[in-house]
């Protein structure tokens, strides 16, 4: 199947298409937030998984007239006073029938999910690359206003804020505290993968195991940085064992070479 997401304000619509391109299902859901920038989402056997990324948006007047991008430099910053929530929306082909909302207890901004799956007790486990704080502008060296690539602008934000790889567990069976109509609320438990604050992004897993339990995550990374060094372009590809916390790294021998987004084959 091909699964897609369309979001307008708080209204989210999920689509599932068959291999022949036919629309198999359409699911509409109203999220408990409207000031979130969504770049990625995930699926399990029973749920669509969406994380809230609370942001503050300040438009430049020139963007109204089309002379600069709507999402330009400094136009979007993390709303660090707001905590992030994770929403589980039931899939039509799944066994769930209620929307679940979990409070992570932290402000975090997630652009990329590695994988999400359900455990035997129904709880949901996810791995994602997240920022503790974020300011849009010159993402990975690309200046959206000038339309140029300039390595000196690599991620104009505090490098101590990420991106780092996190694991999160949504305790569906025991963590639900109260209900509101068709929505149940609970708490999430979140921790760093292998306990390290190594800069990592573009996480993925074996494509045949997406939405199912996986042990290994692959990502771009920049381990062993010297203070002040930019983490991007990424220096290495890593394979991380989320069960044991061990990690394998591969780094190009040529010091002038870097890595992009790794794809599992």
């Amino acid at each position: 199947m091909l699964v897609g997401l369309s979001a307008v304000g708080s209204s989210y619509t999920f689509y599932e298409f068959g291999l022949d391109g036919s629309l198999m299902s359409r699911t509409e859901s109203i999220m408990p937030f409207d000031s979130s920038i969504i770049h990625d989402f995930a699926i399990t056997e029973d749920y669509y998984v969406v994380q809230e990324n609370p942001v503050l948006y300040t438009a430049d007047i020139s963007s109204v007239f089309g002379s600069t991008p709507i999402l330009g430099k400094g136009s979007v910053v993390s709303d660090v006073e707001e905590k992030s929530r994770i929403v589980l929306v039931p899939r039509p082909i799944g066994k769930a029938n209620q929307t679940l909302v979990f409070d992570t207890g932290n402000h975090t901004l997630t652009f990329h999910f590695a994988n999400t799956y359900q455990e035997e007790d129904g709880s949901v486990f996810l791995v994602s690359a997240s920022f503790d704080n974020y300011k849009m502008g010159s993402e990975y060296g690309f200046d959206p206003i000038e339309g140029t690539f300039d390595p000196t602008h690599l991620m104009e934000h505090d490098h101590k804020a990420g991106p780092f790889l996190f694991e999160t567990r949504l305790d569906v069976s025991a963590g639900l505290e109260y209900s509101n109509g068709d929505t149940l609320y609970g708490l999430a438990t979140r921790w760093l993968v292998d306990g390290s604050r190594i800069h990592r992004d573009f996480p993925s897993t074996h494509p045949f195991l997406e939405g199912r339990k996986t042990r290994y995550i692959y990502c771009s990374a920049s381990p062993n940085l010297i203070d002040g060094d930019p983490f991007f372009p990424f220096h290495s590809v890593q394979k991380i064992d989320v069960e044991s916390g061990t990690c394998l790294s591969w780094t190009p021998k040529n010091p002038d070479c870097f890595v992009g987004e790794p794809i599992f084959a």
Side-chain angles (χ1 to χ4, degrees):
M1 292 183 183
L2 173 67
V3 184
L5 166 66
S6 173
V8 180
S10 298
S11 178
Y12 283 56
T13 305
F14 302 87
Y15 303 87
E16 298 201 22
F17 299 90
L19 293 179
D20 61 355
S22 62
L23 179 63
M24 301 182 65
S25 67
R26 172 190 172 112
T27 303
E28 296 184 5
S29 179
I30 301 299
M31 294 293 159
F33 48 77
D34 57 11
S35 59
S36 174
I37 185 170
I38 300 297
H39 178 75
D40 194 14
F41 71 104
I43 62 170
T44 70
E45 294 183 17
D46 291 337
Y47 298 105
Y48 303 113
V49 183
V50 177
Q51 179 177 311
E52 176 187 18
N53 295 318
V55 295
L56 297 172
Y57 175 61
T58 304
D60 190 302
I61 188 64
S62 58
S63 66
V64 177
F65 302 100
S67 57
T68 60
I70 292 294
L71 298 179
K73 237 178 177 182
S75 62
V76 174
V77 297
S78 287
D79 187 355
V80 294
E81 299 300 321
E82 295 293 330
K83 309 302 182 186
S84 302
R85 287 165 287 188
I86 298 175
V87 182
L88 305 183
V89 178
R91 293 177 64 195
I93 64 172
K95 301 175 183 178
N97 54 19
Q98 287 183 300
T99 296
L100 309 180
V101 179
F102 293 85
D103 185 354
T104 65
N106 304 94
H107 172 84
T108 179
L109 194 147
T110 295
F111 278 130
H112 300 119
F113 287 96
N115 192 28
T116 306
Y117 61 85
Q118 292 168 227
E119 298 180 310
E120 291 184 2
D121 65 355
S123 293
V124 173
F125 184 89
L126 61 94
V127 179
S128 59
S130 305
F131 295 85
D132 297 329
N133 195 349
Y134 184 81
K135 179 179 72 173
M136 181 168 283
S138 297
E139 275 62 35
Y140 297 109
F142 179 75
D143 189 321
I145 296 178
E146 299 297 331
T148 57
F149 177 78
D150 185 348
T152 63
H153 295 307
L154 295 174
M155 297 300 293
E156 291 187 346
H157 75 290
D158 183 2
H159 287 195
K160 294 180 180 179
F164 307 120
L165 215 53
F166 286 91
E167 298 174 79
T168 305
R169 187 173 187 270
L170 310 179
D171 195 346
V172 174
S173 60
L176 302 175
E177 291 191 329
Y178 62 93
S179 63
N180 180 13
D182 293 331
T183 303
L184 294 176
Y185 293 80
L187 297 176
T189 306
R190 181 171 175 263
W191 62 95
L192 284 162
V193 170
D194 67 17
S196 65
R197 297 181 77 84
I198 295 173
H199 289 87
R200 294 163 167 157
D201 206 345
F202 307 119
S204 62
T205 189
H206 191 305
F208 290 174
L209 296 177
E210 190 167 333
R212 303 179 186 275
K213 186 170 183 178
T214 50
R215 179 175 179 176
Y216 301 106
I217 300 298
Y218 307 89
C219 65
S220 301
S222 289
N224 306 318
L225 289 179
I226 300 174
D227 289 345
D229 281 356
F231 66 84
F232 186 87
F234 286 106
H235 306 153
S236 306
V237 172
Q238 290 190 332
K239 175 184 179 181
I240 302 158
D241 185 335
V242 295
E243 291 187 9
S244 68
T246 58
C247 173
L248 295 176
S249 285
W250 175 84
T251 302
K253 292 182 179 180
N254 189 328
D256 296 325
C257 288
F258 301 95
V259 303
E261 180 175 355
I263 301 297
F264 184 95

